[in-house]
Amino acid sequence: MNVRSAPIGVFDSGVGGLSVLREVRALLPREALLYYADSAYCPYGDKAPAAIVDRTVAVAEVLLARGAKLLVVACNTATSVALPTLRARFPAVPVVGMVPAVKPAAAATRTGKIGVLATSQTVSGAVLAGLIREHAPTVEVILVPAPGLVAVVEAGDLAGPRVEAALCPLLAPLVAGGVDTLVLGCTHFPFLGEAIRRVTGPDLALVDAGEAVARRIRDVLDARALCAPGPRDGAVTLLTSGDEAAVRALATRLMAVPRAGRCAAPPSLAAAG
Ligand code: DGL
């Protein structure tokens, strides 16, 4: 197979990375996409760094064995822990990671106060501290570790009293603190956007890195002459270490969740084959 026709491999600890995949799909519809949900090992956020590195290497090997021409670490936690290892281990393939969208949030805030909602690993990590030092030195940043929220999304709970009860104690200090812009620093959280706004009111701006990652992928493919030739749209194939039927059902639901202000046509998820 011509390498340009090869798929892009995207992965996360579970279904959260689909919030990135849908942006890639929207920007680069001709690209074939392989999505690996490492659901049997989800969440990554409460695991030791060495265990996260081991899982990301194992998942990358699966995607590369299926011919992936580029790898996307669609997980802030895995990026902050494992990106250098992945790049060193697989030097022949470009590896795109992601970081919480602190830079655009710092540029957008009018109150001078932003929040970052992320896993405990991401909140306490050096990567986020460095981003805040570099891009938000004059902005007040309220960090909110949200250890239970990944499980809420993995359970398919996107709205309703139970979700809002989980969100309330996390969001209350942000509202009280006058935050006007919230960074969703975990790829699971864009699926909770509507529930978050029900708790905070509609004026809070929610920022995530999905679109920026999609643009980065486009630039890397362009620079290496790896863009899919077209003319037809590429397939989206789902792989998982978890229960395939359950993950497929949840993924289909999540891909139909409209992103703030937009209604994406959900791609059908091809069988793993
Ligand atoms: N979606 C992952 C992230 O962006 C969740 C990490 C986890 O599994 O704890 O951080």
Side-chain angles (χ1 to χ4, degrees), residues 12-13 42-45 74-77 119 122 150 185-188:
D12 176 45
S13 61
C42 188
Y44 284 173
C75 174
N76 296 269
T77 309
T119 65
T122 300
V150 167
C186 168
T187 53
H188 283 74

Side-chain angles (χ1 to χ4, degrees), residues 60-226:
E61 279 169 350
V62 172
L63 293 170
L64 293 173
R66 286 175 169 263
K69 63 184 174 184
L70 180 148
L71 294 177
V72 183
V73 188
C75 174
N76 296 269
T77 309
T79 297
S80 72
V81 174
L83 192 67
T85 304
L86 290 172
R87 287 188 170 146
R89 189 80 173 254
F90 307 108
V93 181
V95 183
V96 173
M98 63 190 300
V99 294
V102 169
K103 186 178 177 183
T109 179
R110 287 163 191 262
T111 59
K113 295 173 185 175
I114 68 171
V116 181
L117 190 67
T119 65
S120 306
Q121 276 274 6
T122 300
V123 163
S124 60
V127 169
L128 182 58
L131 283 172
I132 293 169
R133 261 197 316 276
E134 188 177 349
H135 299 298
T138 60
V139 170
E140 186 183 326
V141 184
I142 301 180
L143 301 177
V144 183
L149 274 192
V150 167
V152 168
V153 176
E154 290 289 331
D157 283 340
L158 306 182
R162 220 162 36 159
V163 179
E164 287 168 30
L167 288 170
C168 267
L170 302 170
L171 300 173
L174 302 175
V175 174
V179 159
D180 66 350
T181 308
L182 176 60
V183 177
L184 303 177
C186 168
T187 53
H188 283 74
F189 299 168
F191 295 117
L192 296 174
E194 204 183 308
I196 290 171
R197 285 223 181 85
R198 280 181 71 88
V199 172
T200 63
D203 294 337
L204 184 71
L206 303 179
V207 185
D208 71 75
E211 270 186 286
V213 172
R215 287 195 299 271
R216 175 76 191 135
I217 293 165
R218 178 195 59 198
D219 293 349
V220 171
L221 293 176
D222 268 348
R224 300 189 182 216
L226 283 174

